Amino acid sequence: MGEDVDTRKINHSFLRDHNYVTEADIISTVEFNHTGELLATGDKGGRVVIFQREPESKNEPCCQGEYNVYSTFQSHEPEFDYLKSLEIEEKINKIKWLPQQNAAHSLLSTNDKTIKLWKISERDKRPEGYNLKDEEGKMKDLCTVTSLQVPVLKPMDLMVEVTPRRIFSNGHTYHVNSISVNSDCETYMSADDLRINLWHLTITDRSFNIVDIKPANMEDLTEVITAAEFHPNHCNLFVYSSSKGSLRLCDMRASALCDKHCKLYEEPEDPSNRSFFSEIISSVSDVKFSHSGRYMLTRDYLTVKVWDLNMETKPIETYQVHDYLRSKLCSLYENDCIFDKFECAWNGTDSVIMTGAYNNFFRMFDRNTKRDVTLEASRESSKPRAVLKPRRVCIGGKRRKDDISVDSLDFTKKILHTAWHPSENIIAIAATNNLYIFQDKVNSEMH
């Protein structure tokens, strides 16, 4: 990274609409599947778009690895809760892929209230020669059937079928902010502001409440759950983060209700930095286990932190994402940007971490060299194989040619959702209604 960053190439960008952005088109989640061959995005309109990576072509090596639209379907529709007189948005909050068990793929998608399990399968053959049906599928008159024939499979154009397998509803009173599939491949959990539920993938009418932080009197409420994730290797462990900036690691073997955590990760606050905004900016918006399961990555408003599971007192690494905004917190509070929830991601070897920022900037931090870089996902640099140049934000004083002043940052352009290919240096960046996919020219350079 750093001076080598000019090798980072744009591989493909999916621009939904060049001229007009509707609220429904804004991408709200991005997720690679376990092999990285498929990439799913969800948007505020309740749609899921799945991209498939094209196989390498000997004739066109420049097209290697491009992601093209594989399937699009409507996952959620707007609903109305008549008991509470509340509209339920169709916006897709999270998508999680299930490990592939057969030729079909499966994913979970959720809006604020309802989680759905979808099956994505391919069909390139169709049966012909039914005995009791004609070519249009209508039942024949049995008097006309004088001989029996064996149906045969004939090739047809490839068709991607997306079917809803299960709908998990009525499990949450508050808005679902996280779903996470367990390593046992049989269960998953869903978290809202005050509760975390454990579901079995085959049972839709009941779930087990494993965390409940709702106080008897809601006036005593001091924090809410912001994110939750299962450990990648141990099916009994999971972590959840709170709006107070703490992480709680829970062991489901200890008790059925995991209100009592087995480890609490919390960084003591520096009294000299205490301000009106301290509690808001310390809220953890995302938590991700490393692939090895040894570390946790968290994102709050100004920083990303790496925690060692064996050390509860403080993070082992802290990286400033946009420290230049510390003096702008008052105006960011007034325009509600201070409540933006940024996500974070690990690369395949847990050596580099990535998170988003404003002005369509995203940041990468190399844990080994301690170098970092700011890059921009913009339409100007979205031509295939264009070079991404590092960007720099300056606070005052002398400015270099390509520097951008902190006062001219566009806070309406924000990179909230990012994803990293599980094994290669391919990243997906959601910028409003655009999906950018970047790839290293040489895959080994980020490792």
Side-chain angles (χ1 to χ4, degrees), residues 343-373:
E343 294 174 7
C344 50
W346 296 92
N347 74 335
T349 57
D350 300 332
S351 60
V352 184
I353 56 182
M354 170 178 64
T355 191
Y358 293 106
N359 208 68
N360 277 1
F361 289 167
F362 59 98
R363 303 268 283 136
M364 287 182 170
F365 304 92
D366 190 312
R367 298 180 59 213
N368 298 324
T369 64
K370 302 303 177 189
R371 290 190 297 180
D372 64 90
V373 67

Side-chain angles (χ1 to χ4, degrees), residues 73-88:
F73 62 96
Q74 188 72 31
S75 175
H76 286 72
E77 301 281 357
E79 297 174 51
F80 191 79
D81 187 335
Y82 293 98
L83 292 175
K84 296 181 179 176
S85 295
L86 283 176
E87 288 186 23
I88 301 170

